[in-house]
Amino acid sequence: MGKKLHVTTTINGEQVEFLCEARQSLLEVLRDVLGLTGAKEGCNNGNCGACTVLFDGLPVDSCLVLGVEAEGATIQTVEGIACDGRLHPLQQCFLEGAALQCGVCTPGFLVAAKALLDKHPHATEEQIRFELSGNLCRCTGYDKIVRAVMEAAKEMTHA
Amino acid sequence: MKDFEYAAAATLDEAVSLLAARGERAKILAGGTDIIVQLREGLREADLVVDVKKIPEIMTYRFDPASGLSLGAAVPCYRIYEDGDVAAAYPALADAARIIGGWQIQSRASIGGNLCNSSPAADSIPALIALGAACKIAGPEGMRSVPVEQFCTSPGKNVLRRGELLVSIQFPPPAAKSGSHYLRFIPRNEMDIAVVGAGAWLRMQDGVIAEGRIGLAAVAPTPKLAEQASRFLAGKPASEETFRQAGELARQSASPISDMRGPAQYRLHLVGVLTRRALAKAAERAGA
Ligand SMILES: Cc1cc2nc3c(=O)[nH]c(=O)nc-3n(C[C@H](O)[C@H](O)[C@H](O)COP(=O)(O)OP(=O)(O)OC[C@H]3O[C@@H](n4cnc5c(N)ncnc54)[C@H](O)[C@@H]3O)c2cc1C
Ligand code: FES
Ligand code: FES
């Protein structure tokens, strides 16, 4: 085993310290070191988006970030989306709209969609489809996912 | 993935000395969207990974309409197309930055990384060639500059020597009445590797094309400048016929292979079509 490096970072609003090897991805650290298993490993090469987290506010594939690169960064994972035990409108709309089957892609879609709606609260269907092109789903055929994001956008802008 | 040492260099000097000491066994980390995959899949090996994202010259860019754009090698793609001034001055660059991967990739992936990965199909390189950009390289012997069309030497290889790294990409100031465009053909709508890519830049004067440049990807062992086609443009009207003829000439400079993305014959056809379209859009943007 390689030498362990000490990293201090902020995850879902809390300061976190961990030890990891340089070769470990942020995804491995989240899941195997910190027990945050929301982000999923789909492809482990940047294509599927199942491992999406926000890194300093931007959606990234955590399988393509090294754990050591998290030093001093601010990270948000799907675990931080619900607030005070209440589901985020996106989560509610995914549930109500049956926008998932196996669910492996869901955390990634939720994080990417949240970033999208935070940036473009009135995102059009085309914008949603374009910006979520880095997230793959092999079950749903995408339509229900896109509808759920549109529905959540509607709710969030009326609230 | 085999373990390695990690160093986040704070200055260019520090990066150069780490790279010079370790040579081939050290690999540079920018956005990581190529190198992390390559290390994981065993396509490349490293004892030391040098993160360059803490080096100010590499992570920042400066644009001034009078002096041009100096783009730090590791600046992520999203910062390019989100800057309206840069995107308007160098539309082909913004076109490429917008289609490299999806949003997650663009949050990290850099133009310098795209260039240094030196894939024949790299999307940014034809745009950089068309825009007449140059690579600013730092190394043990100081700084040097290389035109982008001379940077890549074969698939995955480039002119960087032991201890050298790319600092920035330098773009000439945007000329009056000029325009550019980059486009590629992929079988999907998004998130795929170019079957062929074409970048074009044009400058108009007195109602005709004063000069033009065409860059191509995925048609040869390295992205390339279509020299004959580029020279042909000078003095011609910005017409469909001119662009069609330039497309024919561009085909002659292409030497594509057949692979899973398409047979050589098909790629040659695409060179003609994409060159014509890239030029037409560049002309429209130049206000021709
Ligand atoms: C899902 C996915 C989709 C993709 N889609 C596309 C696409 O559509 N089009 C496309 O062209 N590419 C695509 N790529 C490839 C990749 O994202 C790009 O090539 C990207 O621009 C690489 O930049 P980076 O900053 O991530 O580079 P890194 O991975 O950090 O580095 C790439 C290479 O360059 C070297 N390097 C980096 N910076 C320097 C420097 N300053 N000096 C010297 N050497 C350096 C590294 O050592 C490495 O060999 C995709 C990748 C993934 C995973
Ligand atoms: S697991 Fe990271 S993109 Fe698929
Ligand atoms: S629900 Fe199974 S991959 Fe999307």
Side-chain angles (χ1 to χ4, degrees), chain B residues 64-275:
Chain B
D64 172 354
S67 55
L69 170 68
S70 170
L71 177 66
V75 170
C77 286
Y78 82 94
R79 287 181 58 196
I80 295 167
Y81 59 75
E82 286 197 349
D83 184 324
D85 294 335
V86 170
Y90 306 99
L93 173 66
D95 294 336
R98 196 82 184 96
I99 57 175
I100 293 179
W103 194 7
Q104 289 92 332
I105 297 293
Q106 290 158 15
S107 297
R108 306 283 289 174
S110 62
I111 300 298
N114 196 238
L115 189 50
C116 293
N117 189 57
S118 302
S119 158
D123 279 310
S124 78
I125 306 181
L128 301 179
I129 291 174
L131 290 165
C135 310
K136 190 170 158 193
I137 298 166
E141 271 102 58
M143 296 279 190
R144 63 179 177 125
S145 178
V146 174
V148 170
E149 60 269 28
Q150 289 166 23
F151 184 79
C152 300
T153 50
S154 64
K157 299 238 158 48
N158 54 53
V159 299
L160 292 178
R161 300 191 282 249
R162 186 177 181 124
E164 285 190 327
L165 76 163
L166 181 67
V167 180
S168 60
I169 304 155
Q170 307 289 330
F171 298 75
K177 298 217 77 184
S178 68
S180 64
H181 182 43
Y182 172 74
L183 84 171
R184 67 180 176 187
F185 179 79
I186 54 173
R188 300 176 65 201
N189 287 333
E190 306 301 335
M191 293 282 290
D192 209 342
I193 296 174
V195 182
V196 170
W201 172 85
L202 284 180
R203 183 171 67 80
M204 301 296 298
Q205 198 173 7
D206 306 326
V208 295
I209 300 168
E211 47 178 339
R213 285 170 68 88
I214 298 161
L216 299 173
V219 302
T222 65
K224 65 186 293 179
L225 173 68
E227 282 184 55
Q228 218 194 335
S230 299
R231 269 200 309 274
F232 162 80
L233 292 167
K236 303 284 186 312
S239 66
E240 267 301 304
E241 182 52 24
T242 301
F243 302 152
R244 194 190 59 75
Q245 289 181 23
E248 284 304 312
L249 290 171
R251 282 172 61 133
Q252 291 171 24
S253 62
S255 50
I257 53 164
S258 296
D259 66 8
M260 61 190 269
R261 291 182 207 288
Q265 206 47 41
Y266 179 51
R267 284 198 154 104
L268 280 179
H269 170 71
L270 284 171
V271 172
V273 175
L274 296 187
T275 299

Side-chain angles (χ1 to χ4, degrees), chain A residues 2 21-23 25 44-45 52 55 58-61 63-64 68-69 112 115-116 119 130-131 133 135, chain B residues 1-4 6 29 31 33 36-37 40-41 51 53 78 82 98 103-105 107-108 188 190-191:
Chain A
E21 291 172 42
R23 61 163 191 92
S25 68
N44 216 19
N45 62 22
T52 304
F55 191 98
L58 295 166
V60 303
D61 295 318
C63 69
L64 295 188
V68 284
E69 292 184 81
L116 174 61
K119 194 167 155 206
F130 184 78
E131 298 296 353
S133 64
N135 293 83
Chain B
M1 185 168 15
K2 186 179 136 311
D3 203 25
F4 41 74
Y6 168 88
L29 172 70
T33 61
I36 293 180
V37 178
R40 183 173 291 145
E41 293 177 356
D51 189 344
K53 293 192 293 297
Y78 82 94
E82 286 197 349
R98 196 82 184 96
W103 194 7
Q104 289 92 332
I105 297 293
S107 297
R108 306 283 289 174
R188 300 176 65 201
E190 306 301 335
M191 293 282 290

Side-chain angles (χ1 to χ4, degrees), chain B residues 25-61:
Chain B
R25 303 302 302 170
K27 293 281 178 283
I28 296 173
L29 172 70
T33 61
D34 279 314
I35 193 70
I36 293 180
V37 178
Q38 291 163 2
L39 290 170
R40 183 173 291 145
E41 293 177 356
L43 300 171
R44 292 190 193 236
E45 270 187 44
D47 295 335
L48 171 69
V49 165
V50 181
D51 189 344
V52 293
K53 293 192 293 297
K54 301 277 189 283
I55 304 174
E57 295 93 318
I58 290 195
M59 260 326 246
T60 52
Y61 67 90

Side-chain angles (χ1 to χ4, degrees), chain A residues 129-143:
Chain A
R129 287 185 184 272
F130 184 78
E131 298 296 353
L132 296 181
S133 64
N135 293 83
L136 301 184
C137 173
R138 61 186 293 177
C139 304
T140 65
Y142 299 101
D143 213 55

